[in-house]
Amino acid sequence: MGVLSLEDAYRKWSGDLGRYATVLVGPADAADVVADAILAVLRSRSWGQVVDQRAYLYKAVLNAARMRERSGTRRRAREERSARGIENSELDTDVEAREWLDVLSVRQRAAIHLTYWEDLPVAEIAQILGIGEGTVRRHLARGRAKLRKVISRD
């Protein structure tokens, strides 16, 4: 396939990156996370030497999501205050799913998304996340366990 320009890579994988970011941080922040990731890649100046560009972009989105998650406490408090004014019936399903995902760490969300929505094997997920296959399996197992507990309470 050869090395793609960052612009071509973005065109090719922007939809996938957007869905991935949505799982990691929610729909309100997904576009910003992808933009932050692309900017970080632009600043890195190593794009020309990247062998697996898709994995590199997924990792950049994960890193941007983790950065956003670290500063997310204040943001979530603002969103909760503003959401109180919205009819719950309009958002019940989305809010419920978001609450389920909020119990997971960013890496657990990433592993679950890449497994179930991207249908990737553990080895490829490990490469994208920059972690070992055993760590991916651990994130999946712990994430599934947390989801089972949360879903069974509802």
Side-chain angles (χ1 to χ4, degrees), residues 23-39:
V23 169
L24 298 178
V25 298
D29 294 322
D32 291 338
V33 165
V34 172
D36 291 346
I38 296 299
L39 287 173

Side-chain angles (χ1 to χ4, degrees), residues 4 39 55-56 67 71 79 86 94 115 123 134 141 154:
L4 298 174
L39 287 173
Y56 191 86
M67 293 286 286
S71 64
E79 288 174 354
I86 298 173
D94 291 338
T115 299
D154 291 341

Side-chain angles (χ1 to χ4, degrees), residues 42-57:
L42 274 172
R43 285 188 210 112
S44 74
R45 297 185 180 163
S46 62
W47 182 252
Q49 294 82 35
V50 174
V51 176
D52 188 344
Q53 293 175 319
R54 181 172 175 257
Y56 191 86
L57 289 172

Side-chain angles (χ1 to χ4, degrees), residues 81-109:
R81 283 193 302 272
S82 67
R84 288 184 196 126
I86 298 173
E87 289 292 321
N88 283 341
S89 62
E90 295 175 27
L91 299 175
D92 278 346
T93 305
D94 291 338
V95 169
E96 186 175 49
R98 189 71 215 152
E99 287 173 355
W100 292 345
L101 291 173
D102 281 345
V103 302
L104 305 176
S105 72
V106 173
R107 287 213 175 180
Q108 288 168 345
R109 278 183 243 154

